[in-house]
Amino acid sequence: QASNPLWQSRGSSAVPSGGRFRCPSCRHEVVLDRHGVYGLQRNLLVENIIDIYKQESARPLHAKAEQHLMCEEHEDERINIYCLRCEAPTCSLCKVFGAHKDCEVAPLPAVYQRQKSELSDGIAMLVAGNDRIQAIITQMEEICRTIEDNGRRQKQHLGLRFDSLYSILEERKKELLQSIAREQEAKVQRVRGLIRQYGDHLEASSKLVESAIQAMEEPQMAVYLQ
């Protein structure tokens, strides 16, 4: 923790007061109990990475030297120094007589330890960056779920509103149709009454015409005048 430059920034945003924080991978809320960090769920992937790193770090240098590389130019010389300018491992004869005689070199173990430490810091930074990216992805997934939930609620609300409007319109339509039907029936009945009335007048007038025609045919003047 002390050697990780990102620990404070990660800790300040991930571990609030009260021992509660969210997992950077699954965003599940975790509460530290009396066991502290040792009570957390194990991450086998991270543990395997740590074990491999510890095994590499704990392996003695002389054991690795047994599998040493030999110089391609001087076949009997082991590669035991590192050329800082060319950024390549080489042997002592190359430094004294060969291509690296004008270069600055350093002991191979020192460069090995320094580069391995830099690689370890890089791994820590990558892991921290992956944690932040995973947290952002999880947050975006939560935003997507929130948007979908809001959309469903709005659709449901809109459907209810329109169902209410449909009900009001159907009721209003029913009332207007009934009003039209009543007015139609009243007007039809009125016109049918007039038709019957004029029909009666027409029948009486036709009988009067028939009677007048019969009178026109009367040859006797006295009878006609009567």
Side-chain angles (χ1 to χ4, degrees), residues 149-165:
D149 292 340
N150 291 338
R152 282 192 293 268
R153 284 195 297 269
Q154 290 299 323
K155 290 177 181 177
Q156 184 179 8
H157 178 68
L158 185 63
L160 293 176
R161 291 291 302 273
F162 270 87
D163 289 342
S164 176
L165 291 175

Side-chain angles (χ1 to χ4, degrees), residues 90-101:
T90 185
C91 73
S92 300
L93 290 182
C94 288
K95 168 58 181 173
V96 178
F97 304 107
H100 301 284
K101 63 181 179 179

